[in-house]
C-alpha cells in the first residue's frame, strides 16, 4: 500500500510559479492539472508514507512562500493558497483500502507541522477524535465562523489564509460542461447527494457541473455524465463533454467502455497506475 496526496493550490495561471511548485514536489509528483478560470491547480503526489509526507511539506513551504491570497480571483471557492491537502491510502490495481487510520496519522502530523512551522491555521476533515466525521463542504461553510481551527492561530494567515487537511478514501474529481449556466447550476443541485458533491459554476464563457465523486465504484465518470446529461436535457440545456481533474484509479477507468473515453475526457494515461509505471520505468 502507498498513499496519494492530491493537493489543491490557489494558482492556475503563472507558468513560472507552477514550475517552481512542481519542482518542490518532485520526485513524487505524478500530475499537475491547472485551470486558469478556477485559478487553481491540482498536484497529485503518490508514494510511501515518509517520502510522501516530506514531498507534501516541501510543496507546502514553497506554496506559502510564493503565493498570496490577497487579491486572488477565481471561480472556485477557497480557504487559502494551500487550500486542500488530503491523504488517501492507495493500493495500485487493487480495491482502495477502507482503513483510514494511517492516513489520519499523516493528516494530523501534517496539519500540526503546517500550523506550528508555517503559522497557517489547519482545519481537519474526515474521521475526527471521538468517532465523529467532518466533510470538506461542512468545513468550508463553518471555518472561522462557528468552527475554530484544529491547529494554529484563530485567524487566517495574512497571505496564506488557511488549509483544509483531510484523510479520505479515493475519490474522482470530474467536471461536465453544460449549457446554459442557469441549467448547470440547477443540475448541480439535483445531482448532488451522498455519492456526489457538485457545484454549478460559470467558467469563462462556458459553464460546468464541477463534481467530486465520493463513491466512484458506484457513481463513476460515466454514470455521473449520463445523469448530468439527462437532467440538463430535461431542463432545456445540454451536456458538451467531460473533464477529469487530476487522475483516477485504473480500475475505475477499465469499468468504462473505451469507446466512451473521448466523450468523457478520459484516457489510459490519466490513471494513477499509468503514472506510477512511467515513474518506475
Amino acid at each position: 500500500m502507498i498513499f496519494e496526496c492530491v493537493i489543491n493550490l490557489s494558482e492556475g495561471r503563472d507558468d513560472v510559479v507552477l514550475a517552481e511548485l512542481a519542482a518542490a514536489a518532485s520526485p513524487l509528483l505524478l500530475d499537475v492539472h491547472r485551470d486558469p478560470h478556477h485559478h487553481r491547480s491540482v498536484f497529485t503526489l503518490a508514494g510511501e508514507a515518509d517520502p510522501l509526507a516530506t514531498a507534501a511539506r516541501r510543496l507546502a513551504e514553497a506554496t506559502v512562500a510564493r503565493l498570496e491570497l490577497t487579491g486572488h480571483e477565481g471561480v472556485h471557492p477557497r480557504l487559502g493558497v494551500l487550500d486542500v491537502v488530503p491523504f488517501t491510502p492507495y493500493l495500485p490495481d487493487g480495491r482502495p483500502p477502507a482503513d483510514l487510520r494511517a492516513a489520519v496519522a499523516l493528516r494530523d502530523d501534517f496539519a500540526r507541522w503546517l500550523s506550528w512551522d508555517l503559522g497557517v491555521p489547519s482545519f481537519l476533515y474526515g474521521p475526527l477524535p471521538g468517532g465523529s466525521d467532518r466533510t470538506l463542504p461542512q468545513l468550508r461553510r463553518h471555518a472561522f465562523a462557528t468552527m475554530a481551527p484544529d491547529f494554529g492561530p484563530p485567524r487566517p494567515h495574512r497571505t496564506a489564509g488557511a488549509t483544509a487537511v483531510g484523510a479520505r478514501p479515493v475519490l474522482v474529481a470530474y467536471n461536465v460542461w453544460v449549457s446554459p449556466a442557469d441549467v448547470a447550476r440547477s443540475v448541480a443541485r439535483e445531482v448532488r447527494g451522498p455519492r456526489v458533491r457538485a457545484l454549478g459554476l460559470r467558467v469563462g464563457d462556458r459553464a460546468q457541473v464541477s463534481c467530486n465523486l465520493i463513491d466512484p465504484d458506484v457513481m463513476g465518470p460515466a454514470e455521473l455524465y449520463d445523469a448530468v446529461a439527462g437532467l440538463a436535457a430535461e431542463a432545456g440545456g445540454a451536456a458538451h463533454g467531460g473533464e477529469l481533474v487530476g487522475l483516477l484509479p485504473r480500475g475505475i477507468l477499465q469499468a468504462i467502455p473505451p469507446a466512451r473515453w473521448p466523450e468523457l475526457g478520459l484516457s489510459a494515461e490519466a490513471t494513477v497506475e499509468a503514472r506510477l509505471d512511467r515513474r518506475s520505468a
Side-chain angles (χ1 to χ4, degrees):
M1 185 181 76
I2 61 173
F3 293 89
E4 186 183 32
C5 189
V6 184
I7 299 179
N8 290 233
L9 306 178
S10 296
E11 173 57 64
R13 299 170 183 168
D14 191 315
D15 292 339
V16 173
V17 170
L18 289 172
E20 291 176 7
L21 298 179
S26 180
L28 295 193
L29 182 64
L30 298 183
D31 183 73
V32 177
H33 177 97
R34 60 182 294 186
D35 189 313
H37 294 291
H38 285 223
H39 203 357
R40 189 175 185 85
S41 294
V42 176
F43 283 56
T44 302
L45 288 66
E48 296 181 354
D50 288 345
L52 180 71
T54 298
R57 291 186 183 194
R58 286 201 306 262
L59 179 53
E61 288 173 332
T63 299
V64 172
R66 196 69 172 84
L67 302 183
E68 289 194 11
L69 196 62
T70 307
H72 183 278
E73 295 180 355
V75 172
H76 202 285
R78 71 208 75 86
L79 282 175
V81 294
L82 184 72
D83 194 47
V84 185
V85 182
F87 292 91
T88 300
Y90 199 93
L91 187 62
D93 284 317
R95 188 166 184 82
D99 188 345
L100 293 180
R101 285 177 293 180
V104 166
L106 285 171
R107 175 198 69 183
D108 292 355
D109 285 347
F110 180 90
R112 190 178 296 108
W113 166 83
L114 182 66
S115 62
W116 287 357
D117 282 34
L118 301 186
V120 177
S122 298
F123 293 88
L124 303 180
Y125 69 97
L128 300 178
S132 62
D133 192 273
R134 180 188 294 156
T135 68
L136 183 57
Q138 289 170 337
L139 190 163
R140 287 199 186 280
R141 283 195 300 270
H142 300 293
F144 294 116
T146 60
M147 181 189 299
D150 294 282
F151 298 101
R155 289 175 295 278
H157 185 281
R158 184 178 60 84
T159 58
T163 300
V165 188
R168 61 161 174 77
V170 170
L171 63 75
V172 174
Y174 188 73
N175 303 328
V176 180
W177 297 101
V178 171
S179 65
D182 60 336
V183 169
R185 287 190 289 268
S186 68
V187 168
R189 289 192 295 270
E190 292 187 63
V191 80
R192 190 180 300 139
R195 294 191 174 97
V196 180
R197 294 174 186 155
L199 294 171
L201 302 173
R202 184 182 292 276
V203 181
D205 58 357
R206 307 172 72 190
Q208 66 180 205
V209 179
S210 176
C211 301
N212 280 341
L213 307 182
I214 307 302
D215 190 358
D217 285 317
V218 176
M219 177 65 83
E223 292 81 8
L224 185 279
Y225 186 89
D226 292 343
V228 168
L231 290 167
E234 290 175 11
H240 304 284
E243 176 189 39
L244 178 67
V245 179
L247 305 174
L248 80 168
R250 185 149 54 196
I252 300 297
L253 179 69
Q254 290 176 340
I256 302 170
R260 295 205 65 189
W261 292 358
E263 173 193 27
L264 299 174
L266 304 175
S267 72
E269 284 300 305
T271 69
V272 174
E273 287 80 1
R275 302 302 175 88
L276 290 171
D277 291 345
R278 181 192 302 173
R279 190 170 74 188
S280 62

